[in-house]
Amino acid sequence: MSQLPKFICIGAQRAGTTWLHECLSEHPDVYVPPEKELHFFDRFYDRGISSYQDFFKAEKTGNAKVWGELTPNYYQEDQALERIKTHIPDVKLIYILREPVSRAYSQYQLYKPSQFSEQSFEEVIATQPFVTDLSLQGKHLERTYSLFAKEQVLVLFYDDLSSDPKSTLEKVYSFIDVKSDFIPEHLDKRINRVVLPDLQEKLQKFGLGWLIDLVKASPFSEWVKEFFHKTPKKKQSDPMVSQMQGTFKEDIKLIEKLLDVDLTAWRQD
């Protein structure tokens, strides 16, 4: 028997969705496909809804009470949310928001060795508009609310996930209606955090990328990630950061209005 998901995490990119996937996969009442980011509603929709249902067959979900998936592109891709609305109108959506400059910079760090090779952060922002658009999370949240009832959408913040992962996870568990006091092994781990991006690039060029993999697999990986994790310094004297903050200013205000929250920490007024 095939079935459709009860919940979908739609984004944002570089906002802890891989961590959430790992935590959810450990919960005994939750099933998520081993493959994160199915991309059915944006890339593979032409394969038909039955191909998507195959990911959630009863023999796969087993004794799970709820099942779902995480594809942090759905919030931004044209038609993805509309297609979700068509096929699963009552689905629960999870949307994690991150301070927009840090989100964009984290994406740059991740793809610097490959897609953004030989480009500075400034050059990427100037030539790759999709990076900026992915950080316009208020615009995409407003569109989400135009399609789904607010009660169907759990909005979380990456800052809260980083500072208090346990409470954040409890909110997710309560939202999807499973036991909220379950503690996964991945609770205090940071998946996909970029470790020493500049060094990684140099090592990969010399065929020594295995050294970084060794560090990531070691017991010290979490300490290394915390110690060396980098985000752009928010200083008014930094023209690039100030320019980007200006780009996102109205979008941040939109988030504040939609959620009735104060995001002064995201702005440099």
Side-chain angles (χ1 to χ4, degrees):
M1 176 181 177
S2 298
Q3 47 202 357
L4 289 167
K6 307 292 185 180
F7 69 88
I8 299 176
C9 179
I10 60 174
Q13 279 196 14
R14 307 305 298 158
T17 57
T18 301
W19 169 84
L20 181 57
H21 178 271
E22 295 300 325
C23 290
L24 287 171
S25 68
E26 291 186 46
H27 198 295
D29 295 332
V30 180
Y31 174 80
V32 290
E35 177 187 355
K36 176 177 173 277
E37 304 189 23
L38 299 182
H39 286 288
F40 172 75
F41 290 106
D42 57 347
R43 299 180 188 173
F44 306 119
Y45 188 68
D46 59 350
R47 295 181 180 178
I49 194 67
S50 61
S51 69
Y52 184 60
Q53 289 176 304
D54 287 344
F55 286 103
F56 308 100
K57 288 181 177 179
E59 56 263 36
K60 294 182 178 180
T61 59
N63 295 323
K65 294 180 180 178
V66 298
W67 41 90
E69 66 130 329
L70 300 86
T71 300
N73 286 76
Y74 287 158
Y75 75 105
Q76 186 257 359
E77 291 291 337
D78 289 342
Q79 295 187 296
L81 290 177
E82 287 82 355
R83 289 166 174 168
I84 294 173
K85 176 68 174 181
T86 296
H87 293 283
I88 330 173
D90 297 325
V91 72
K92 295 182 178 181
L93 301 177
I94 302 168
Y95 190 4
I96 309 173
L97 308 183
R98 182 173 182 177
E99 189 278 312
V101 180
S102 296
R103 194 224 64 81
Y105 190 71
S106 179
Q107 185 176 4
Y108 166 72
Q109 285 184 306
L110 183 66
Y111 294 109
K112 191 170 185 287
S114 54
Q115 187 174 349
F116 300 149
S117 179
E118 308 301 327
Q119 285 185 291
S120 67
F121 183 49
E122 291 80 0
E123 290 170 334
V124 167
I125 293 303
T127 62
Q128 307 288 346
F130 77 93
V131 176
T132 297
D133 188 70
L134 284 165
S135 282
L136 292 172
Q137 297 153 97
K139 178 184 77 171
H140 300 304
L141 177 60
E142 185 174 47
R143 187 165 68 92
T144 301
Y145 281 161
S146 73
L147 294 167
F148 299 90
K150 286 190 175 183
E151 296 75 28
Q152 289 179 247
V153 185
L154 175 65
V155 179
L156 303 169
F157 288 92
Y158 180 81
D159 293 342
D160 296 332
L161 184 156
S162 297
S163 63
D164 192 353
K166 184 173 181 292
S167 293
T168 300
L169 203 53
E170 286 174 352
K171 290 179 182 178
V172 173
Y173 290 156
S174 295
F175 180 66
I176 62 176
D177 199 23
V178 295
K179 188 178 179 182
S180 61
D181 59 355
F182 176 77
I183 306 296
E185 291 183 6
H186 279 89
L187 178 68
D188 294 314
K189 295 183 179 181
R190 289 295 176 270
I191 314 297
N192 270 0
R193 175 167 282 185
V194 181
V195 181
L196 301 173
D198 295 331
L199 178 59
Q200 285 191 57
E201 184 179 10
K202 291 182 175 65
L203 288 174
Q204 286 167 348
K205 285 182 178 179
F206 288 99
L208 298 174
W210 60 270
L211 285 174
I212 291 294
D213 293 332
L214 188 63
V215 171
K216 290 180 178 179
S218 77
F220 306 103
S221 62
E222 293 305 310
W223 179 86
V224 172
K225 289 176 185 179
E226 290 294 336
F227 189 82
F228 290 104
H229 185 56
K230 300 177 181 179
T231 54
K233 296 179 180 179
K234 297 181 183 179
K235 296 180 179 178
Q236 286 287 3
S237 59
D238 185 333
M240 183 61 195
V241 172
S242 296
Q243 176 186 332
M244 289 196 70
Q245 286 170 336
T247 299
F248 298 126
K249 186 174 182 178
E250 293 305 314
D251 193 73
I252 292 171
K253 288 182 179 179
L254 178 58
I255 295 173
E256 291 179 315
K257 178 181 178 182
L258 290 171
L259 299 178
D260 192 22
V261 295
D262 183 355
L263 296 177
T264 302
W266 285 13
R267 293 184 270 111
Q268 291 290 328
D269 293 331

